Amino acid sequence: MTPLIYFKFISFPCRMSYQTRKSRGSDYKGEVLNKWHASTAEKPLAPEQLIIDAHHHLWDRCRISGHAENVPTHARYMADELFDDIASSGHRVIDTVYVECLSMYNQTVSEDNATPSIGEIEFVQGIAAQAKSNLYGNHLRCCGAILGFVDLTQDAIKVGADLDRMLQSGRNFRGIRQAHGFHVSKDIPANHHPTRNIEHLLSDTKFRAGFQELAKRNLVFDAWGYHFQLKELLELAQAFPKTIIIIDHLGGPISVGKYSKRKRACIAYME
């Protein structure tokens, strides 16, 4: 069976939080940002085209948590910002797909079988319910599909239990993202997950065992790596041909570090 792989290119707005504006002493009330948004508004080419936003995030980086990235964005993009962008875009966005970003992890879970990332699923499922209230527009919908995070290198039994908890915590839960971007060079940034320092993660024995738990539940795998790792991803897809794999960011082409002067070679590699 030919593996089914989807490529995905995303772009999403990000607005600085009140706390960050204040601490930086610029654009205190956001007037500059709003003015810039207004000046770049464009009429949609096909306003009747039905659209599903295939990848976006929601977060409030008002302070750094233990689960935040090493280099946090200190930004705020929550339900109000999302609803406003959908309503004011001029496009017919009928729904969206939320992708994990270490947001709203549950800090109160017990140490036994702790799964803080379930908090993100509960949070986003609540945003989906909020949209269905019609308080923000009769046809405004979002987060119809949710991709969370489970570390597939854990014991397979724990992976299965975590996935089942997420299925129970959010009716819109459809699968997970586990980033595998890695390079030995410090000039190339590592990914944001706890397995960021594992080279060849996708072929790791523990990871494959955890992936089997994902496959058994017919869940989706969202992959975020670099262009030079696409062959590893293809091997994973060939090993699990019935599992849908989505490739983030057009396969992760980069032009930093050793690849800074090899843009054409990077494109050729992906082709």
Side-chain angles (χ1 to χ4, degrees), residues 145-166:
I146 301 170
L147 297 177
F149 170 70
V150 170
D151 182 0
L152 298 183
T153 66
Q154 301 177 102
D155 178 80
I157 295 177
K158 176 68 163 56
V159 171
D162 285 352
L163 292 172
D164 289 339
R165 290 190 186 98
M166 289 193 171

Side-chain angles (χ1 to χ4, degrees), residues 43-255:
K43 292 183 179 181
L45 297 176
E48 297 304 314
Q49 174 67 49
L50 301 182
I51 296 173
I52 294 178
D53 184 336
H55 182 132
H56 73 87
H57 307 296
L58 295 167
W59 54 35
D60 189 347
R61 309 291 203 219
C62 59
R63 64 185 180 86
I64 301 175
S65 72
H67 297 286
E69 309 101 312
N70 288 338
V71 184
T73 54
H74 286 285
R76 175 186 173 89
Y77 192 76
M78 296 286 280
D80 287 342
E81 287 82 6
L82 176 63
F83 295 162
D84 181 61
D85 281 333
I86 292 175
S88 63
S89 68
H91 295 283
R92 291 189 65 187
V93 180
I94 60 173
D95 215 327
T96 71
V97 178
Y98 175 88
V99 180
E100 66 81 32
C101 57
L102 309 178
S103 186
M104 302 300 173
Y105 275 29
N106 188 339
Q107 304 295 327
T108 64
V109 294
S110 63
E111 293 184 3
D112 296 333
N113 297 318
T115 310
S117 56
I118 284 181
E120 187 166 24
I121 306 302
E122 295 171 332
F123 157 63
V124 180
Q125 188 64 59
I127 300 300
Q130 187 177 348
K132 286 186 176 182
S133 71
N134 286 343
L135 289 173
Y136 310 92
N138 291 336
H139 302 288
L140 194 153
R141 298 292 181 266
C142 68
C143 306
I146 301 170
L147 297 177
F149 170 70
V150 170
D151 182 0
L152 298 183
T153 66
Q154 301 177 102
D155 178 80
I157 295 177
K158 176 68 163 56
V159 171
D162 285 352
L163 292 172
D164 289 339
R165 290 190 186 98
M166 289 193 171
L167 285 165
Q168 295 168 4
S169 299
R171 68 178 66 184
N172 295 354
F173 175 68
R174 298 291 185 269
I176 71 158
R177 173 169 76 164
Q178 181 158 6
H180 62 281
F182 176 89
H183 195 280
V184 293
S185 172
K186 294 182 178 179
D187 295 328
I188 298 176
N191 65 75
H192 63 296
H193 285 146
T195 50
R196 65 178 65 88
N197 294 321
I198 299 179
E199 188 173 10
H200 307 304
L201 173 67
L202 302 184
S203 60
D204 180 86
T205 302
K206 291 182 178 180
F207 176 89
R208 290 289 182 98
F211 199 96
Q212 182 63 48
E213 296 298 316
L214 186 83
K216 287 194 300 187
R217 291 162 176 79
N218 295 317
L219 294 170
V220 171
F221 181 72
D222 199 84
W224 183 12
Y226 293 126
H227 71 274
F228 50 82
Q229 297 175 297
L230 285 172
K231 289 183 179 179
E232 297 177 35
L233 188 58
L234 176 60
E235 292 173 357
L236 177 69
Q238 291 171 334
F240 296 91
K242 294 183 179 181
T243 301
I244 294 176
I245 295 176
I246 301 170
I247 302 179
D248 278 2
H249 309 295
L250 286 176
I254 58 172
S255 59

